[in-house]
Amino acid sequence: MAPMQPSPAPASNRLEERIAALKDDRTVGRLVRLYPHRREQILYLVVGGWNTVFGYGVWALMQFVLGDHLHYLVIVLLSWPIAVLNAYLGYRYIVFRSRGPLLRELPRFSTVYVATLLAPLVVLPLALAVLPFSIYVINGAFTCVVVVASYLAHRHFSFGGGRHAVGSPH
């Protein structure tokens, strides 16, 4: 009979060990120690960063491809729904872990993002006329502001009623 091999540690234990080891790392240690207390805000920044890159990328690609044929404001309008759907999925499932009704949340979420659609329609023409920066720089700076401002609106309005805390009986 062959000697019994020790069973490998469960994946969750190995993950916890790796996370514990990272707590002392000079580069990411502070973030790892902060994560349990600020999970939602940290994930919002990560997902918001992704949404910013994704939304800006969709817009920039459309601006590059269609910019000679369509007005830049039309391109903003065309790229918006793609960016909003991507953002909704990330915030709903990763950040806020919402279990609320999709038919209630998506319209509320979209309402918050209507402001992010209307603002560049006003800001871009003014900024392009006044500032010495390209449309890419101006729109990039604007999207950074949106990540911060939309957190509170999404937390309290879009997903406020359908959120579910980890370990909650809901």
Side-chain angles (χ1 to χ4, degrees):
M1 183 177 261
M4 292 187 69
Q5 296 290 327
S7 62
S12 62
N13 287 344
R14 283 182 279 173
L15 178 62
E16 289 171 13
E17 289 172 7
R18 289 180 181 159
I19 291 172
L22 287 174
K23 287 181 180 180
D24 296 327
D25 185 88
R26 290 184 71 190
T27 307
V28 296
R30 185 175 177 163
L31 184 61
V32 171
R33 290 187 302 272
L34 186 64
Y35 181 80
H37 307 290
R38 295 287 183 212
R39 179 206 153 279
E40 186 178 273
Q41 291 88 356
I42 292 169
L43 287 178
Y44 189 86
L45 290 175
V46 170
V47 172
W50 161 250
N51 292 336
T52 300
V53 169
F54 181 85
Y56 184 81
V58 167
W59 169 82
L61 180 64
M62 291 178 83
Q63 179 68 35
F64 179 77
V65 171
L66 302 172
D68 292 337
H69 308 289
L70 295 174
H71 191 273
Y72 65 88
L73 294 179
V74 173
I75 294 170
V76 168
L77 290 171
L78 292 174
S79 64
W80 184 78
I82 299 166
V84 169
L85 183 58
N86 175 75
Y88 175 74
L89 294 172
Y91 291 141
R92 175 180 169 93
Y93 294 109
I94 297 171
V95 177
F96 297 109
R97 296 181 179 174
S98 176
R99 296 181 188 256
L102 182 79
L103 293 176
R104 184 186 65 122
E105 285 182 350
L106 186 55
R108 292 175 83 158
F109 185 87
S110 297
T111 299
V112 171
Y113 265 76
V114 164
T116 69
L117 171 65
L118 296 178
L121 295 177
V122 173
V123 172
L124 278 179
L126 295 173
L128 286 170
V130 174
L131 299 174
F133 304 113
S134 76
I135 189 172
Y136 297 96
V137 172
I138 292 170
N139 202 36
F142 180 77
T143 55
C144 291
V145 172
V146 169
V147 172
V148 176
S150 64
Y151 170 74
L152 292 173
H154 291 315
R155 185 173 197 274
H156 296 291
F157 178 68
S158 301
F159 300 108
R163 293 181 345 135
H164 149 249
V166 176
S168 163
H170 300 288

